[in-house]
Amino acid sequence: MPEKLKIGVLTSGGDAPGMNAAIRAVVRTALTNDMEVIGIQNGYEGLINGEFRNMNERSVGGILQRGGTILLTSRSKRFMEPTGQRDAIRKMNEAGINGLIVIGGEGSMNGAHALSQQGVKVVGIPGSIDNDIWGTNIAIGTDTAMNTIMEAVDKLRDTASSHQRAFLVETMGRNSGYLAVMAAIVCGAEVALIPEVSITADEVAMAVEQAYKRGKTHAIIINAEGSNISTTELAARIDDLDVGFKTRMTILGHIQRGGSPTAYDRLLASRMGVKAVEALMDDKHGVMAGLKGKGVEFIPLVDVITNKRKVNMEYYRMAKVLAR
């Protein structure tokens, strides 16, 4: 008779809207299939410390619409070391946890793979507003973050037009320009700056000046935080060159992480949560649930962590064409 599953679930790294929907799906799918579920608080740090709590149906009631994560999250330096991983596995064994679901970003998938290599049955669920995780079309939280950016830029555009300004809007994206490129398309920005493509401040200034000459009443520049030019330096250079518009800066920061998840993120998180539990039931582990086309498929964690997701340059070219 197969061993009864006792699943642990944790959220790790940066929070993303929709993580609670994934937790809810994991808990309720597991309970429906007569499993026990342990919520692990504070990510991998909580795993090392044994911060465990039993989860039932009511533990996840009323959380679909909430941003953040009810299990809390953190980044753990201790877990990066073999001793930290050993202590985490010891705590799991002491609690009788024989399956683990990790919801998080690129670093979280690296941690999941490290545990998998040491015999832990683990399944990953991608949660990242940057959409920088290889192996899935989109991660939990990306759609909500995009909508947050779009709403902010739409409001900024109103005042930019009224005062004939060039607004520089900084989005998240240390290593990936996904948010900046998509925001440029859906918000009608004149320029998008991304980590994958180097550009000079003078080239940006020239594009803004051309927009002014064409009679535009404003200009929007979207700058990913990981691009090769800081937003502050870019604003100063555009003003120095006197391109017609005066600049104003808006750094959206962590507002992009918050807010109630969109319907899309709630559905995506729910689908991935259900699939992750079903994978453990089928003794499938060492994998991440990823959206491929219209379906959720499983990608080996080793592939997820050894490949780097790059922005689709077709979208970058589209943003430039539509900026006229």
Side-chain angles (χ1 to χ4, degrees), residues 119-130:
V120 176
K121 294 181 178 181
V122 58
V123 176
I125 296 177
S128 167
I129 67 166
D130 294 344

Side-chain angles (χ1 to χ4, degrees), residues 5-169:
L5 279 170
K6 187 175 186 179
I7 294 177
V9 58
L10 64 82
T11 50
S12 172
D15 61 296
M19 281 184 165
N20 284 328
I23 295 167
R24 174 180 179 271
V26 167
V27 171
R28 292 193 171 173
T29 303
L31 293 174
T32 297
N33 288 280
D34 196 31
M35 305 175 198
E36 292 183 63
V37 188
I38 302 295
I40 301 160
Q41 299 196 145
N42 291 306
Y44 288 122
E45 191 70 13
L47 188 59
I48 295 171
N49 295 333
E51 298 176 39
F52 302 155
R53 63 183 175 109
N54 291 317
M55 305 287 282
N56 58 37
E57 288 92 343
R58 299 283 65 79
S59 302
V60 292
I63 66 171
L64 265 175
Q65 77 282 7
R66 291 171 57 181
T69 162
I70 62 165
L71 291 177
L72 309 180
T73 184
S74 67
R75 303 183 192 276
S76 177
K77 290 184 178 179
R78 287 197 295 164
F79 188 78
M80 296 178 185
E81 303 296 328
T83 52
Q85 295 165 17
R86 180 192 63 201
D87 291 345
I89 293 171
R90 180 185 176 94
K91 288 293 185 181
M92 286 181 62
N93 289 334
E94 288 175 354
I97 298 171
N98 53 13
L100 180 67
I101 293 176
V102 173
I103 307 166
E106 195 176 22
S108 302
M109 294 305 110
N110 273 281
H113 177 65
L115 291 176
S116 177
Q117 291 294 96
Q118 297 176 64
V120 176
K121 294 181 178 181
V122 58
V123 176
I125 296 177
S128 167
I129 67 166
D130 294 344
N131 203 30
D132 58 353
I133 305 169
W134 190 90
T136 184
N137 294 346
I138 193 165
I140 295 168
T142 304
D143 186 66
T144 305
M146 274 302 314
N147 278 275
T148 297
I149 295 167
M150 182 181 69
E151 290 171 11
V153 174
D154 285 351
K155 291 174 181 177
L156 289 170
R157 183 186 300 283
D158 293 341
T159 191
S161 295
S162 298
H163 294 276
Q164 298 196 59
R165 306 287 192 195
F167 265 80
L168 279 68
V169 182

Side-chain angles (χ1 to χ4, degrees), residues 171-206:
T171 66
M172 284 188 166
R174 258 195 331 269
N175 303 307
S176 171
Y178 182 89
L179 288 178
V181 167
M182 295 305 187
I185 294 171
V186 302
C187 299
E190 274 62 44
V191 184
L193 289 81
I194 60 176
E196 294 88 348
V197 179
S198 291
I199 189 171
T200 67
D202 286 7
E203 287 174 312
V204 177
M206 185 182 300

Side-chain angles (χ1 to χ4, degrees), residues 286-303:
V287 295
M288 181 190 79
L291 185 68
K292 293 287 190 180
K294 294 183 179 180
V296 176
E297 299 179 5
F298 296 106
I299 301 92
L301 283 168
V302 65
D303 292 342

